Amino acid sequence: MTNEPLVSVLVPVYNMERYLGQCLKALTEQTLESLEIIAIDDGSSDASPRMLAEWAQRDPRIRVITKPNSGYGDSMNRGLEQARGRYVGIVEPDDYPDLAMFQKLAKAALKHDADVVKCNYYLHFEDHEEILWNLHGFEYGKPFDPADMPGIVTTTPSIWTGLYRREFLEREGINFRPTPGAAFQDTSFSLKVWFAAERAVLLRRPMLHYRMDNPGSSSKTSDKVYTVCEELAEAYAFLEQRPRRKASFAPWFHVDKWGKYRWNYERIAPELHEEFAERMRAEYEAALAAGEIDWSAFERNSLFQLRYLLEAGAHAFAERYPESFPLDCEDDPFLQAAPAAEGPVPEGLSPAVTVIVPVFNTEPYVGECIASLKGQTYADFEAFVVDDASTDGSRAAAEAAIAGDERFTLIPRDENRGLSAVRNVALDRAKGEYVVFLDSDDYLCVDALEQLVRRARTQRLDELYFSGASFYEDDELRGRLREDFGQRTPCDDVFTGREMFTRFEERDEFFTQAALRMVRRGLLEEHGIRFREGILHEDILFTFQVLCVAQRSSFLDEPLYLRRLRSDSIMGKKRTVANIDGHFVSLQEMKRWLAENIDDVNPRFAAAVAKRIATWREVVAHDWNNDIALADREQYLAGLSPADRADFYVDIIGSGAAGDRVRREYSESGAYRLGSALVAGPRFVAGKLQSVADRL
């Protein structure tokens, strides 16, 4: 029928007079007009029925179903039966959507012929909101089969952030458990959707405001000890009916179940913990016997806790964890006592790492650099040593250093093309799961790759920042180049790249070097990211491009990289027009990206990018005014396009007009980090260097 709405939105209502008006207002003002709103009143005893009747009189798209109280699941099923839309959405009456939410969800559903579309959401408090990036770690904007990304089941159910094809729900028999008085029915519904859907799309933008301070919310009740178990059992029975998809989903179902059981354990009364722990133990013993447990899918703390439950039993588990078994290892004395590197590195693609070593006139150092790789405690890597037409004996030294080790490949180049081109040549040949960049006059600590791979695989990271230590060839250089990253704030959590950048920048802790992060190679390939050739300071733009698209980013606060600062390196030499141009090109690209994406970025991230651009402008202005001869300035400006020349006057020359006070304040601040790593005291650096030397 032509009058059928595109979207049906179900609103289950039970005594929600306080919030209902805000919810219905947001729904009736949706930019999507082809919408029906089905409100199911579950026997409310407050003013909710009267409010629903008044709203239905105002807007004919609102239909009200009134019934005796029979619970959330039955209400939702009544709504599904009455829905006429091609797609079905759900909004709880104490939450509210952005005005364009259903238009954007429906547009993506139609464009990609999706069974389900989901977005991120806001945690709404009375005095503020926070974004919950529930879907991060999975690619946005492209259709996928959830069976190919089964870890999606570990995301929060958040059924009210989705749009579901009605025909798909009916065909697969997906509805809600109608058990009267039960709770958490979104658990089995969400899992069934992931198990059955063959085309799903995720949207990055948060569009639903989920209220966190409603004291009447069912998620805050502390009874119903085994309700979540029954929901999960329902979902598992649904999965068993689809054996071809079970092979993919079952291991991740048990990871998700552990997270939900952790939440339930903390929610119920302490005197019930041992009883509930026994239920957990029995279920996981059965899953282990059925071959459905993949230990590598569990994060480290969950892995230890589950193994402890299976080995020590429910009584010992309840005694060790009287209140909760924590999500964070930091809060768990049992895990604090366990060494971080205990156990094998989780399995993954092999080689685990591609190490890229650009070489140009570093004959005295390249052998020691390669030796630090050969001495790694983790051996599953490949290394490309790319000589960029060195004019000294670097190529021969590198060739001698890698002789007999099949993990190393020497790529000789007859024409000097610069650092970006060299790295790109190696990236095009790389096969590793992750990529690490190592300059040929620097070192890696002996267990660097082992620590990096373990952390990246355990947390399923796109990029992993880490620390380093700098050492200088002479005191003059130490006084001229300030490198101080010793005060960065430790961080074990997973963020998006944009959130990680914002976190660093707001603390004046950001650094740009590609050599101080490990990047998932698939991320670079998916987004076509390479180094910009023909410029210096290429790390600026590369780092920015990666952090803009990384969905899972973290920081390992360990000095794994040992960086040599010498007078004839790029950083040690006096600034030239090439340095100016490299910075300016990168800043222009960052500005363009921000202008094109300003509607879709978090304001804090936009402010952090602006702050970083301003910092680098000051750096370039300082170099322009102090190191570049007048004739070189005139020649450089003449070669710019009119638009770029105008930007250069505003952004760089204008910045320089601030005078010596800004220069002085900047040089004394923690933001002076153009191309820097962590510096520590001489004794610390010497100790690290000796440690590397002793273990090579």
Side-chain angles (χ1 to χ4, degrees):
M1 296 174 58
T2 56
N3 62 342
E4 288 185 353
L6 180 61
V7 172
S8 298
V9 181
L10 311 185
V11 185
V13 180
Y14 179 71
N15 289 351
M16 282 291 164
E17 62 180 359
R18 179 176 177 183
Y19 309 110
L20 183 57
Q22 183 183 26
C23 173
L24 293 176
K25 183 175 186 294
L27 286 172
T28 56
E29 294 178 356
Q30 288 290 302
T31 56
L32 177 70
E33 293 185 0
S34 183
L35 182 81
E36 70 169 353
I37 302 163
I38 302 176
I40 310 98
D41 177 49
D42 192 28
S44 296
S45 57
D46 66 354
S48 296
R50 175 180 56 78
M51 294 175 66
L52 288 173
E54 292 173 353
W55 276 93
Q57 283 186 335
R58 294 182 215 169
D59 194 320
R61 296 176 301 171
I62 298 177
R63 289 196 287 143
V64 180
I65 299 174
T66 302
K67 66 182 182 67
N69 181 266
S70 57
Y72 180 91
D74 184 55
S75 294
M76 295 303 296
N77 288 340
R78 297 275 190 102
L80 287 173
E81 291 170 0
Q82 294 292 320
R84 296 178 297 128
R86 183 172 176 181
Y87 297 97
V88 176
I90 299 164
V91 175
E92 306 285 354
D94 52 346
D95 303 334
Y96 63 96
D98 282 355
L99 299 186
M101 173 175 166
F102 286 104
Q103 183 181 40
K104 290 184 178 296
L105 291 175
K107 181 179 178 181
L110 291 169
K111 177 181 178 181
H112 299 292
D113 190 28
D115 295 322
V116 56
V117 180
K118 295 196 75 172
C119 65
N120 291 302
Y121 60 97
Y122 298 93
L123 301 177
H124 178 86
F125 301 86
E126 286 299 323
D127 57 350
H128 73 286
E129 286 193 324
E130 302 170 5
I131 296 177
L132 184 64
W133 299 106
N134 183 42
L135 305 174
H136 282 171
F138 303 91
E139 190 169 8
Y140 293 119
K142 293 183 179 180
F144 67 96
D145 185 339
D148 296 331
M149 297 183 183
I152 193 73
V153 301
T154 64
T155 59
T156 303
S158 62
I159 59 173
W160 16 262
T161 64
L163 205 59
Y164 312 92
R165 192 203 309 264
R166 182 164 61 90
E167 182 274 332
F168 155 73
L169 297 178
E170 293 173 351
R171 182 186 70 242
E172 299 292 339
I174 298 174
N175 55 17
F176 293 81
R177 292 181 69 242
T179 311
F184 323 123
Q185 284 99 333
D186 57 347
T187 299
S188 62
F189 180 87
S190 176
L191 287 171
K192 291 174 187 177
V193 167
W194 291 130
F195 292 160
E198 295 183 355
R199 290 184 66 82
V201 176
L202 309 179
L203 301 184
R204 182 181 188 277
R205 182 172 178 170
M207 291 187 283
L208 189 284
H209 302 258
Y210 177 73
R211 194 176 299 275
M212 296 295 292
D213 40 21
N214 175 11
S217 171
S218 65
S219 66
K220 293 181 171 60
T221 60
S222 58
D223 56 354
K224 304 169 182 142
V225 176
Y226 294 109
T227 300
V228 70
C229 304
E230 293 159 1
E231 284 289 317
L232 289 165
E234 166 97 359
Y236 184 78
F238 181 89
L239 182 60
E240 283 196 304
Q241 297 170 7
R242 293 156 176 80
R244 286 190 299 176
R245 298 180 73 79
K246 180 183 176 183
S248 176
F249 282 112
W252 287 98
F253 168 80
H254 294 296
V255 173
D256 178 59
K257 177 161 67 171
W258 184 255
K260 288 180 169 58
Y261 280 2
R262 173 193 288 115
W263 167 81
N264 196 57
Y265 188 92
E266 183 175 357
R267 187 184 65 84
I268 63 178
E271 58 268 24
L272 298 172
H273 280 170
E274 183 175 344
E275 178 184 329
F276 186 71
E278 181 58 40
R279 170 77 175 254
M280 292 192 297
R281 186 197 60 77
E283 290 186 9
Y284 277 94
E285 280 189 344
L288 192 62
E292 294 178 357
I293 299 294
D294 180 356
W295 295 114
S296 68
F298 287 84
E299 293 190 350
R300 176 175 176 264
N301 56 313
S302 299
L303 178 67
F304 275 77
Q305 291 163 350
L306 176 53
R307 284 180 168 170
Y308 184 79
L309 172 63
L310 294 174
E311 295 169 8
H315 180 72
F317 186 89
E319 285 193 335
R320 181 173 291 281
Y321 302 112
E323 297 180 359
S324 66
F325 45 108
L327 178 65
D328 244 342
C329 301
E330 303 296 325
D331 300 329
D332 191 337
F334 171 55
L335 293 174
Q336 285 177 343
E342 185 172 330
V345 175
E347 293 181 0
L349 300 177
S350 184
V353 185
T354 296
V355 183
I356 296 176
V357 185
V359 177
F360 180 70
N361 290 355
T362 53
E363 180 182 4
Y365 319 112
V366 65
E368 297 171 85
C369 171
I370 291 172
S372 78
L373 283 176
K374 285 187 169 183
Q376 289 293 304
T377 58
Y378 187 70
D380 187 20
F381 67 87
E382 64 176 1
F384 292 103
V385 181
V386 189
D387 179 64
D388 195 26
S390 295
T391 57
D392 64 356
S394 296
R395 184 178 299 185
E399 197 166 18
I402 69 175
D405 194 325
E406 294 183 352
R407 296 172 299 177
F408 291 81
T409 300
L410 178 67
I411 304 176
R413 296 178 64 81
D414 296 329
E415 178 185 358
N416 182 267
R417 294 280 305 281
L419 188 58
S420 292
V422 166
R423 286 173 169 169
N424 289 342
V425 165
L427 280 173
D428 290 342
R429 296 178 59 171
K431 295 293 188 292
E433 184 178 357
Y434 304 99
V435 178
V436 167
F437 302 98
L438 173 62
D439 291 341
S440 58
D441 52 352
D442 299 336
Y443 308 83
L444 285 178
C445 286
V446 68
D447 60 347
L449 296 184
E450 182 175 6
Q451 289 200 52
L452 293 172
V453 173
R454 175 178 288 106
R455 176 73 172 271
R457 282 181 172 170
T458 299
Q459 293 186 321
R460 309 191 313 279
L461 299 177
D462 287 327
E463 61 172 350
L464 176 58
Y465 294 81
F466 55 95
S467 284
S470 297
F471 56 101
Y472 300 80
E473 283 195 332
D474 54 62
D475 291 337
E476 184 276 332
L477 197 62
R478 182 188 300 274
R480 183 155 52 88
L481 287 179
R482 294 169 56 92
E483 296 203 335
D484 184 4
F485 271 72
Q487 303 302 317
R488 286 202 305 275
T489 307
C491 168
D492 294 327
D493 295 330
V494 178
F495 299 88
T496 67
R498 299 180 191 185
E499 291 168 339
M500 179 62 72
F501 168 76
T502 302
R503 184 180 189 275
F504 278 135
E505 187 62 39
E506 290 178 346
R507 292 168 168 81
D508 282 332
E509 297 175 354
F510 183 65
F511 52 99
T512 63
Q513 293 83 351
L516 290 175
R517 65 182 42 74
M518 184 170 77
V519 182
R520 183 172 64 84
R521 185 174 61 85
L523 184 76
L524 302 180
E525 302 305 323
E526 291 158 12
H527 296 277
I529 297 175
R530 290 292 187 268
F531 289 90
R532 177 74 168 262
E533 298 189 16
I535 64 171
L536 298 180
H537 308 295
E538 65 290 321
D539 287 5
I540 293 175
L541 191 54
F542 177 85
T543 297
F544 182 73
Q545 290 173 324
V546 172
L547 67 86
C548 282
V549 298
Q551 302 303 319
R552 297 185 66 84
S553 178
S554 193
F555 171 53
L556 176 59
D557 190 26
E558 291 289 337
L560 304 180
Y561 192 97
L562 298 173
R563 184 171 186 232
R564 184 192 308 272
L565 290 176
R566 52 192 177 87
S567 57
D568 58 343
S569 67
I570 292 175
M571 287 305 302
K573 292 178 180 178
K574 185 178 179 180
R575 305 291 94 175
T576 68
V577 168
N579 298 102
I580 300 295
D581 184 64
H583 273 103
F584 182 61
V585 168
S586 298
L587 298 187
Q588 290 293 88
E589 289 297 324
M590 291 172 66
K591 283 175 56 182
R592 291 189 186 103
W593 184 93
L594 189 58
E596 292 171 0
N597 295 275
I598 192 65
D599 290 337
D600 296 321
V601 300
N602 182 288
R604 284 178 61 195
F605 175 69
V609 173
K611 179 175 179 246
R612 174 51 42 186
I613 290 175
T615 296
W616 278 325
R617 283 174 179 164
E618 293 294 337
V619 174
V620 181
H622 175 273
D623 294 343
W624 178 262
N625 289 326
N626 291 276
D627 292 345
I628 310 302
L630 180 59
D632 292 335
R633 295 186 204 175
E634 293 175 348
Q635 183 179 1
Y636 178 70
L637 289 172
L640 295 176
S641 69
D644 283 347
R645 194 182 316 148
D647 280 348
F648 195 92
Y649 271 100
V650 172
D651 295 342
I652 306 302
I653 297 177
S655 297
D660 292 339
R661 178 183 60 80
V662 176
R663 302 278 89 68
R664 183 172 60 257
E665 289 177 357
Y666 172 69
S667 65
E668 293 172 355
S669 77
Y672 187 40
R673 297 199 168 85
L674 55 151
S676 56
L678 168 73
V679 70
R683 244 180 293 176
F684 172 81
V685 176
K688 283 293 181 184
L689 289 174
Q690 186 59 51
S691 173
V692 172
D694 291 344
R695 298 170 73 178
L696 291 178

